[in-house]
Amino acid sequence: TQDNKFSDYTHMPKLTEPVDEQAILLYALGRESAAMSQYQDLADNTPEGPLKSVFQFLSYEEAQHMNELEKKYASLIADTG
């Protein structure tokens, strides 16, 4: 995408004290989602070639991070419910 900075995709709320584990996980999930979207947008707008492959790989990696965080979040909720 043109003229977009990574930070344009990361408008996350600031964590304020006291911060619990749930708030941290939700914040991290938001950051991972933003990163995944950014890399996917870059891949979608990059011609075929090595750079497109790098952006696709990075998007996939962020999706894997989100999956792990979602598992941790589900576990946390199950433990507190």
Side-chain angles (χ1 to χ4, degrees):
T1 56
Q2 295 181 348
D3 298 324
N4 286 332
K5 298 176 194 160
F6 184 77
S7 61
D8 291 343
Y9 288 84
T10 56
H11 301 288
M12 299 297 129
K14 294 186 181 203
L15 295 174
T16 57
E17 298 293 331
V19 178
D20 63 5
E21 190 173 1
Q22 183 177 0
I24 292 169
L25 286 171
L26 288 172
Y27 180 82
L29 278 164
R31 297 287 300 216
E32 294 295 340
S33 177
M36 183 183 70
S37 294
Q38 171 69 23
Y39 290 132
Q40 190 58 56
D41 286 347
L42 290 167
D44 292 344
N45 291 289
T46 301
E48 290 298 325
L51 187 56
K52 183 178 189 89
S53 295
V54 167
F55 291 139
Q56 290 170 329
F57 172 78
L58 292 171
S59 178
Y60 173 80
E61 287 294 307
E62 297 302 336
Q64 297 305 308
H65 298 160
M66 281 184 58
N67 186 40
E68 290 302 314
L69 288 170
E70 287 170 351
K71 287 178 188 175
K72 288 180 183 181
Y73 185 79
S75 176
L76 175 68
I77 297 303
D79 289 346
T80 59

